[in-house]
Structure formats: C-alpha cells, structure tokens
Amino acid sequence: MQRSRSTDKRNRILQAAVKVFADKGFYVARVSDVAREAGVADGTIYLYFASKGELLRGLFEENMGRLIERVRSVAGSSDSATQRLERIWSDYVAFVQTEPELAEVLTVELRESGKFMNEFAADLFGAFLRVIVEVIAEGQSQGELRSDVSARTVARLMFGAFDELSLSWVMSKNKWDLDASGREALAIFLAGLRPDSNQTQSN
Amino acid sequence: MQRSRSTDKRNRILQAAVKVFADKGFYVARVSDVAREAGVADGTIYLYFASKGELLRGLFEENMGRLIERVRSVAGSSDSATQRLERIWSDYVAFVQTEPELAEVLTVELRESGKFMNEFAADLFGAFLRVIVEVIAEGQSQGELRSDVSARTVARLMFGAFDELSLSWVMSKNKWDLDASGREALAIFLAGLRPDSNQTQSN
Amino acid sequence: MQRSRSTDKRNRILQAAVKVFADKGFYVARVSDVAREAGVADGTIYLYFASKGELLRGLFEENMGRLIERVRSVAGSSDSATQRLERIWSDYVAFVQTEPELAEVLTVELRESGKFMNEFAADLFGAFLRVIVEVIAEGQSQGELRSDVSARTVARLMFGAFDELSLSWVMSKNKWDLDASGREALAIFLAGLRPDSNQTQSN
Amino acid sequence: MQRSRSTDKRNRILQAAVKVFADKGFYVARVSDVAREAGVADGTIYLYFASKGELLRGLFEENMGRLIERVRSVAGSSDSATQRLERIWSDYVAFVQTEPELAEVLTVELRESGKFMNEFAADLFGAFLRVIVEVIAEGQSQGELRSDVSARTVARLMFGAFDELSLSWVMSKNKWDLDASGREALAIFLAGLRPDSNQTQSN
DNA sequence: GATGAATGAGGGTTCATTCAT
DNA sequence: TATGAATGAACCCTCATTCAT
C-alpha cells in the first residue's frame, strides 16, 4: 500500500488524464493538457509515468482493477446467477453514472489503444469478462440459465450490449434514462436466457 | 459514373487505408504507410483526399453507405420482423467475415474519431441504427416482438452485442466460429424479445 | 525574330506570370496559378521555361529589355540633358500607368530575387541605370547640371525616388495623381541639380 | 520589463533571423537556418514566435519601432526643418552602416512581404513616413522649404532615394562611400527644395 | 506540341521527453 | 521532488517538376 513519491499527485494526474482523454481522445490529447488539468508541470508527469502510453496503461490498470474487484465481490456472493447478473448490471450502471468520463475512456480508448498495448488491454478486459462468464456458467450448470449457448458468447453479448448502451448514453450527454434502458436490456437478456427459451428457436 | 481523375486509384487508396488503419489505428498509421500500401506516392493521396482526416471520413462515407444500403434492402423486404432481423444479422456476419479489416476500422475508429468528426460519424451510425429500429418497431406493432421495451434500446443492444462479438472475433484473428456465436446471440435476443417473455421479469 | 514553338503562347505565359507575380509575389505564386491564368496546362510552361526561376528571369529579360530600349532611344536624342531627363521621366510614368502590374513585379521582385539571380538582375538594372548616368554626365560636362555630385549617385537617387513613387502609387491602387507627383519630383531634382544650386549648401 | 521565457533568447533568434533573411531572403531561408544561426533547436523558435511569418513580423515590429523612435526624437527637436532633415538623414546613414543586414531586410522584405502582411507593413512604413512628412510640412509653412510641392510626395522621394542609395550600398558590399553619396543626395534635395528654386521650372 | 496526373523531396510545425535549475 | 524551457525526431502536406498519353 506504500508507494514512493506522493500517491496524491499520482492520483491527481490519473484523474486529469481521465478527464482529458475522455474529452479529446488519447491521441489528440497532449501531455501538457493533462499536466494543466492536474495542476502540475509537464515534467512532473514523468516522475510518475514513464511515458504517455504508460499513463494510459496506468489509468487502465488502476481503474479496471477497481472495476474487476467490484464485479468480483458481487459475483462471489451466494445469490442466484440471475440475481448476481442483475446486481453486476446495476452496479455497472451506477459506475457509468458516477464516473461517465472514466467509463468513456475505458470503453473508447481500450479499443484504439488495443493497437499499441494489445496483450495488456486484452488481459484486463479478459479478467473482467471471465468473472461474468463464471456467473453465467454457474447459472447454466444449475439449470438457471439455458445451456445451449456458450457462456463466453453470452458474456460478450451482455458486455457488448451494455457497453454500447452506456457509451451512447455518455456521448449523448445523458439525455435519456440509462437506468430504465438498462433494466429493459437486462430483462431481454434474462428472458432470452431462460432454460425454456430455446423451444421456439428457428434456425 | 465518371469522376475527375481515376476512380480506380481513389479506391486503391481507400482500400489501402482500410488495411493500414485496421492494422495500426488511424493515429498511429502514417500517410506514407497508406501510400506505400496503395502503391502510390505520398502526394498522390492528396489528389483524392484533402487531408488524412478526410481520408478517414471518405472511408466511412463510402463503406458505411454501402452497409446501410445493404441493411436497408433487407429491412425493406416483406418478411416478418424476426426473419428480417435474422437476415440482417447473417448479412452482417457475412460482411465481417468477408471484410474483417473494414469491419475493424468502422467499429474501432468510429469511436475514437467521434472525437474529431463527431456529427458526421454520429449521422452515419444513426442512419444505420434507424433501419434496425424500424424493423423492431414494426415487429412490436404487429405483435411479433414484445412491446414493453424501447425499440431504440433494443436496436442499440443488438448492435452493441453484435459489434462486440464481431470485433473480438476480428481481433482474436478469427480463432473461433463467428457464425455459431452469431446464431446463439440471435437466438437469445429473439427469445428475449418474444411477446410473452416479459412474464417472469423480476425488477 | 524566329523562335521555335509558339511565341504567342510564350507571351501569354509571360503576361500571366506578370499578373500572378504582381498579385501574390514570386514565392507565394504557384506555377499552377500562372498556368491557370495563361489558360495552359502546368506542364506547358516547362516547354517554354526551364523552371519557375527561369520564368521570372525571362520576364525580367523581356521587359527590362523593352524598357531599356525605350529609355535608350530617348537618351540618344539630341535634346538637352534636362529635356531628356524630363522625357525619360514622363515616359516611365506612362509605362507605370499603362502596365502597373509589370512595374510592380519589376520593382518588387527584382529585390527579393536579387537573392537568387544576383548578377543577372544586377546586370539588367545596371544597364538601365547606365543610360541615365550618361545623360546626367553629359549634362554635367556641358554645364547644364551641377558637377559637384557623382552622376552615378544622382542616377540612383532619381531612380530610387521614382521607383518609390511609382511603387506606392501602384500599391495604393492608383488613388492619387502620379503625373502630378512625378512632375513635382522632377521639378525638385532639376532645381537641385542646377549648376548654381550648390551655393547655399551647408554641410 | 519582464517577459515570460528569456528575452535574451528571443533577441538571439531575432538577430539570427536578420542575418539569415538578409543573406537568403525570407522565402528561401529555412527556419532551421535561423535556428542554427541562433544556436537553438528548431522547436525553440516556436516558443517565441508562432510561425515563420510571425518571426518576420516580430522582426519588423521590434526594429522599425526602434527606427521610428529614433527619427521621431530627431524630428521633435527645435532645429530648423533643414537641420532636422540633415540629422535624420545622417542618422539613417549611421544606422545603415552599423546594421547593414537589418537595413537590407527591412528594405527588401518589407516589399515582398507586403504581399502577406499588408496592412501591418504599411502601418509601420506609414508611421515612419509621417514623421518626415511633418518635418517637411513645417519647413514649408515656415517658408524654409518651397511650398509648391506636396510634403507627402517629397517625403516619399527622399525616402525612396535614400532607400535605393543605402540598399545598393549594402548589396554592393560597401564598396563605396555611403557618407559622401548621402551628403550629395541631401545637398541636391535641399537645393531643390529651396523656396526660390521653382523659378526656372519648365513644365 | 500539350496535357495534367503523378511524383517525392523538402519544409514548417508539433509535441513527447529531457534535464538544468 | 518539481519545474518548464529546450530539444529534435517525426510527420503532414505542398508544389515544382516529370512523363506517359
């Protein structure tokens, strides 16, 4: 828990980076923009991060870490898979609503940046996804969710759906009710995942 | 059908841009990379596009236009909403499989670039989404799909889900069966959208 | 008098160059601007001039040549030095008024370009000046003009004065009466050059 | 008197620019030439000037300002108009001799650049000219100088004459005596401007 | 001769990174 | 630790020139 140098300043820089990257995008944002936003000198950033890229990496690490912890603690509860999915979902809604800029950065930059920090970004995202996969797999093995679909696919679907929903909410400047849409979305998924739901399926 | 200068060359440049942008991302890619890939001189690109940004814009315009046409023609058929969704879906799978690099660029760069060509990108994406919204709305008004959810939300969900699925397929270098996952995904959605599926919904 | 290729087209290009260079200056003007103005293709210019620089050189040569001829024929007359200076002067006024753009190019670009075609520009200008020097020297040797000043200096003075006058007239878009100013200027010079005018000179 | 960043460095860059622009001309000169001459990195120039053009503008501003001050202080003295013209003239000679490169840049580039920074250059030059106009007008109203000529025209004449004289001196690498020529020139002007000098005027 | 699409060297400018203070 | 002036590599873009038609 101990760090050399001031953890405060490091955090200020990270938060500034979130704001600036969300606003302009990683590539368009200048290191000096982040410095100004953080209220430090340009050079100071390099006392905490080796490069602009490492700043983004640090940002991912720190925040995805937090997110993964959060989702893990929910996923680890003794509730039913359905209930846990509901809670993960609403927890994520809360996160997006509380920290929309961070949500935007994690979502948008994770993709473009995949280009230059591939395995790393993939790892974090993979860790996140794995938690959901497990909940779903448990739901399937206990007959709570239909078993004729790959848990991995389902997890990706849900993540993708939610990602799109929250991103468009963030980018539309919160003009509509994310809670409500989120509930609708979850309802559709849970309905589509009921064990008996595969009966009428055509192709 | 006639253009000034060679449409061939313009297309070669666009295709090269797709390849290069897919590989490195728009910001990391150099104009000279595109030129080399296209087999033209750097300057030649500027005979067809006013700037690197306009090249990306042209790429979107041309290809999103094609995609939208495609999805529109399917959406306009006289089939049931369910059937049309199935066909749109499989059509999109085919597109992603045929032109994975293009799919990657359209998906990834549309986001990061939203930062510098906002309304434009939003328009194209909006047009695409609207087609799907209509199919869903028709399905709802004819009792084919549940009506207690917003068509717009559903469209976004499906798009997001599919987008994530295809993107991860593309980025994982086609290691798994996109067709199969796509069918599973569609099955879940259609099941979740059946008119009677809202009965067991909890919260 | 015979030239290979069309002398017409060569002249059209030269005239276009005068117009364009006067408007934008040599360095800012593009070869394609000249081509457009001349109504020919870019490449055509290179059939008549080896380079953009040679185009300027050709422009100088052709027109300074003309000017020098003109001034020489006046200078060679049997009139008194004073009268010849008057006629040279009014002739130059007529030239500036008839071809202001050419006057501007010759005046302005001769200087900046001196940087890249030094001896050449200097030669042409030297030839021009020499004619005036001779008239003045003759006036001096015949007691018509004061002899206590260098003819070369006087020629430069008169040229510089007139150059400034006409240039500011051209650049001010002909807002004032160049004829009148020219006459005033000449009056001053001639008065200052009278043999007896050195009597009251202080330092 | 305090500026952000080092005024020293700004001045070093300005002086380097004078040297380089005098040598090659503004358009042929490369920013990197100026940087090398100033002993700084290319990028450093942009810490002090927004663009190459602004560097030229800054150069004008700074130095023309100095010149105008100088001429103004002479012009404001209580001497006779004639004496003041003499002192302005000799002061300018001194300036040209002390800083020939600067004189060259101010003279030559002011013209070519008129093309891209018109009003600005015109303003500075106008301010300079106005001072001389006033001296002459005062001389006229006090009967010291002939009144049948426009003070503005006279000022332009004198400036043009002097400009030409000093420029050719600078460009000929100081091969002759500028002092002497300058005195001759002034003698001619003053003689030509004597109140009684209009008696023999022909046309 | 004439064209104008293509070329590619070169330059202005930016900005991540360094380092003397 | 912190600063921010300085650096200079790198890139987008321009445009004089060429050459296949």
Side-chain angles (χ1 to χ4, degrees):
Chain A
M1 208 85 318
Q2 276 288 78
R3 268 175 202 282
S4 62
R5 308 180 202 265
S6 150
T7 301
D8 266 12
K9 194 154 285 187
R10 189 173 189 276
N11 283 335
R12 251 169 59 208
I13 292 170
L14 281 173
Q15 278 173 37
V18 168
K19 201 161 196 170
V20 172
F21 292 169
D23 187 32
K24 309 187 149 183
F26 174 73
Y27 287 102
V28 174
R30 305 292 140 223
V31 170
S32 59
D33 295 333
V34 177
R36 192 179 321 108
E37 179 72 33
V40 300
D42 294 16
T44 304
I45 289 181
Y46 290 86
L47 298 175
Y48 297 91
F49 302 93
S51 69
K52 191 188 176 192
E54 283 302 301
L55 176 53
L56 182 59
R57 186 198 208 80
L59 189 164
F60 280 158
E61 205 157 22
E62 208 95 332
N63 291 291
M64 287 294 285
R66 227 167 16 98
L67 269 184
I68 292 171
E69 281 323 304
R70 226 162 128 166
V71 80
R72 255 195 203 129
S73 81
V74 174
S77 85
S78 58
D79 294 331
S80 71
T82 305
Q83 284 172 318
R84 282 182 288 162
L85 284 177
E86 277 171 358
R87 284 185 50 210
I88 288 171
W89 195 272
S90 62
D91 202 53
Y92 194 57
V93 168
F95 160 66
V96 172
Q97 287 174 325
T98 318
E99 307 183 65
E101 285 166 335
L102 178 55
E104 188 176 350
V105 173
L106 292 183
T107 310
V108 173
E109 304 301 337
L110 192 65
R111 303 201 164 186
E112 176 81 15
S113 71
K115 299 285 188 287
F116 87 98
M117 42 193 283
N118 241 289
E119 50 330 325
F120 169 73
D123 284 0
L124 282 181
F125 179 62
F128 185 84
L129 212 63
R130 223 167 301 127
V131 180
I132 302 178
V133 169
E134 261 162 57
V135 175
I136 292 168
E138 284 171 33
Q140 290 178 317
S141 68
Q142 288 173 246
E144 211 182 323
L145 302 176
R146 64 193 284 180
S147 300
D148 63 335
V149 291
S150 145
R152 186 154 200 83
T153 297
V154 175
R156 262 205 262 266
L157 276 190
M158 293 186 70
F159 175 79
F162 194 79
D163 182 44
E164 174 62 36
L165 218 51
S166 53
L167 182 63
S168 57
W169 180 79
V170 166
M171 299 193 77
S172 71
K173 310 273 175 192
N174 327 344
K175 281 203 286 274
W176 37 278
D177 186 346
L178 181 61
D179 272 314
S181 291
R183 270 193 302 272
E184 288 181 7
L186 188 60
I188 292 168
F189 273 115
L190 292 181
L193 288 170
R194 277 192 310 225
D196 59 340
S197 61
N198 59 328
Q199 58 196 184
T200 334
Q201 225 36 49
S202 49
N203 101 327
Chain B
M1 208 84 318
Q2 277 288 75
R3 266 175 203 280
S4 63
R5 305 174 203 268
S6 148
T7 301
D8 270 12
K9 195 152 287 185
R10 188 173 191 275
N11 284 335
R12 251 170 58 210
I13 293 169
L14 281 173
Q15 279 173 37
V18 167
K19 201 161 196 170
V20 173
F21 291 169
D23 186 34
K24 309 187 150 184
F26 175 72
Y27 287 101
V28 174
R30 302 295 140 218
V31 170
S32 58
D33 295 333
V34 177
R36 193 177 320 106
E37 178 71 34
V40 300
D42 292 18
T44 303
I45 290 181
Y46 292 87
L47 296 177
Y48 297 91
F49 302 94
S51 67
K52 192 189 175 193
E54 283 301 301
L55 176 53
L56 182 59
R57 185 199 211 79
L59 191 163
F60 280 159
E61 208 157 21
E62 208 97 329
N63 292 293
M64 286 295 283
R66 227 165 21 95
L67 269 186
I68 291 172
E69 279 324 303
R70 223 164 130 165
V71 81
R72 254 193 204 131
S73 80
V74 174
S77 84
S78 57
D79 295 333
S80 72
T82 305
Q83 285 171 317
R84 283 182 289 164
L85 286 177
E86 277 171 358
R87 285 185 49 209
I88 288 172
W89 195 272
S90 61
D91 202 55
Y92 193 59
V93 167
F95 161 67
V96 171
Q97 287 174 323
T98 319
E99 308 184 64
E101 284 166 337
L102 178 55
E104 187 175 351
V105 173
L106 292 184
T107 309
V108 172
E109 303 301 337
L110 193 64
R111 302 200 166 187
E112 176 82 15
S113 73
K115 299 286 189 286
F116 88 97
M117 42 194 280
N118 240 289
E119 51 328 325
F120 170 74
D123 284 359
L124 282 180
F125 179 62
F128 186 84
L129 212 62
R130 224 167 300 128
V131 180
I132 302 178
V133 168
E134 259 164 56
V135 174
I136 293 169
E138 283 171 33
Q140 290 178 317
S141 67
Q142 287 173 242
E144 212 182 321
L145 303 176
R146 64 193 285 183
S147 299
D148 63 334
V149 291
S150 148
R152 185 154 201 83
T153 297
V154 175
R156 263 204 261 265
L157 277 191
M158 293 187 69
F159 175 79
F162 194 78
D163 183 44
E164 175 60 38
L165 218 50
S166 52
L167 182 63
S168 57
W169 180 78
V170 167
M171 299 191 78
S172 73
K173 309 274 176 193
N174 326 346
K175 281 203 287 272
W176 36 279
D177 187 345
L178 181 60
D179 271 314
S181 291
R183 270 193 302 273
E184 288 181 5
L186 188 60
I188 293 170
F189 273 114
L190 291 181
L193 287 171
R194 277 192 309 224
D196 60 339
S197 61
N198 59 328
Q199 57 196 185
T200 335
Q201 223 36 48
S202 50
N203 95 327
Chain C
M1 207 86 315
Q2 274 290 71
R3 267 176 203 279
S4 63
R5 306 179 202 268
S6 149
T7 301
D8 267 13
K9 194 155 286 186
R10 189 173 190 275
N11 282 335
R12 252 168 59 207
I13 293 170
L14 281 173
Q15 278 173 37
V18 167
K19 201 161 196 171
V20 172
F21 291 170
D23 186 32
K24 310 187 150 183
F26 175 73
Y27 286 102
V28 174
R30 305 292 141 222
V31 170
S32 59
D33 294 334
V34 177
R36 194 180 318 108
E37 180 70 32
V40 301
D42 293 17
T44 304
I45 289 181
Y46 290 86
L47 297 175
Y48 297 91
F49 301 93
S51 69
K52 191 190 177 191
E54 284 302 302
L55 176 54
L56 183 59
R57 184 197 209 82
L59 189 163
F60 280 158
E61 207 158 23
E62 207 95 334
N63 291 291
M64 286 296 283
R66 225 162 24 92
L67 269 185
I68 292 172
E69 280 323 305
R70 225 162 128 167
V71 82
R72 253 192 205 134
S73 80
V74 174
S77 85
S78 58
D79 294 333
S80 72
T82 306
Q83 284 172 317
R84 281 182 289 163
L85 284 178
E86 277 171 359
R87 284 184 50 209
I88 288 173
W89 195 273
S90 62
D91 203 53
Y92 193 57
V93 167
F95 161 66
V96 171
Q97 288 174 324
T98 317
E99 308 184 63
E101 285 166 336
L102 178 55
E104 188 176 350
V105 173
L106 292 183
T107 310
V108 173
E109 304 302 336
L110 192 65
R111 303 201 165 187
E112 175 83 15
S113 72
K115 299 285 189 287
F116 86 98
M117 42 195 282
N118 241 288
E119 43 343 313
F120 168 74
D123 284 359
L124 282 180
F125 180 62
F128 185 85
L129 212 62
R130 224 168 299 128
V131 180
I132 301 178
V133 169
E134 262 164 54
V135 174
I136 292 169
E138 284 171 32
Q140 290 177 318
S141 69
Q142 289 173 243
E144 212 183 323
L145 301 175
R146 64 194 286 182
S147 299
D148 64 335
V149 291
S150 147
R152 187 155 198 82
T153 297
V154 175
R156 263 205 261 266
L157 276 191
M158 293 187 69
F159 176 79
F162 194 78
D163 183 44
E164 174 62 34
L165 218 51
S166 52
L167 182 63
S168 58
W169 180 78
V170 166
M171 298 192 79
S172 72
K173 308 273 173 193
N174 326 347
K175 281 204 285 274
W176 38 279
D177 187 345
L178 180 61
D179 272 314
S181 292
R183 271 193 302 273
E184 290 182 4
L186 188 60
I188 293 169
F189 273 115
L190 292 182
L193 288 170
R194 277 191 310 223
D196 60 339
S197 60
N198 58 327
Q199 58 197 181
T200 336
Q201 225 35 50
S202 49
N203 97 324
Chain D
M1 206 88 314
Q2 276 288 78
R3 266 175 202 278
S4 62
R5 307 176 202 267
S6 149
T7 300
D8 270 11
K9 194 152 289 186
R10 188 174 189 275
N11 283 335
R12 251 171 56 210
I13 292 169
L14 280 173
Q15 278 173 37
V18 167
K19 201 161 197 169
V20 173
F21 291 169
D23 185 32
K24 310 188 149 184
F26 175 72
Y27 286 103
V28 175
R30 304 293 140 220
V31 170
S32 58
D33 295 334
V34 177
R36 193 178 319 107
E37 179 71 34
V40 300
D42 292 17
T44 304
I45 290 181
Y46 292 87
L47 296 177
Y48 297 91
F49 303 93
S51 67
K52 192 190 176 192
E54 283 301 301
L55 176 53
L56 182 59
R57 184 199 209 82
L59 189 163
F60 280 159
E61 206 156 24
E62 209 96 333
N63 291 293
M64 287 294 284
R66 232 171 8 103
L67 269 185
I68 292 172
E69 280 324 302
R70 224 161 129 167
V71 82
R72 252 192 207 133
S73 80
V74 174
S77 85
S78 57
D79 295 332
S80 71
T82 304
Q83 286 172 318
R84 283 182 288 164
L85 285 177
E86 278 171 358
R87 285 184 49 210
I88 288 172
W89 196 273
S90 63
D91 202 53
Y92 194 58
V93 167
F95 160 66
V96 171
Q97 287 175 324
T98 318
E99 309 183 61
E101 284 165 335
L102 178 55
E104 187 176 351
V105 173
L106 291 183
T107 310
V108 173
E109 304 300 338
L110 193 64
R111 303 200 165 188
E112 176 82 14
S113 74
K115 299 284 187 289
F116 88 96
M117 44 195 280
N118 241 290
E119 54 323 330
F120 171 74
D123 283 359
L124 283 180
F125 179 62
F128 187 84
L129 212 62
R130 224 167 301 129
V131 180
I132 301 178
V133 169
E134 260 163 56
V135 174
I136 292 168
E138 283 171 32
Q140 290 178 317
S141 68
Q142 287 174 243
E144 211 182 321
L145 302 176
R146 63 192 288 182
S147 299
D148 64 334
V149 292
S150 147
R152 188 155 198 82
T153 297
V154 175
R156 262 204 263 264
L157 278 190
M158 295 187 68
F159 176 80
F162 194 78
D163 183 44
E164 175 61 37
L165 219 51
S166 53
L167 183 63
S168 56
W169 180 79
V170 167
M171 297 191 79
S172 72
K173 309 273 174 193
N174 328 346
K175 282 201 286 273
W176 37 279
D177 187 345
L178 181 60
D179 271 313
S181 292
R183 269 192 303 273
E184 289 181 4
L186 188 59
I188 292 169
F189 272 115
L190 291 181
L193 288 170
R194 277 190 311 224
D196 60 339
S197 61
N198 57 328
Q199 57 195 185
T200 336
Q201 224 36 49
S202 50
N203 99 329

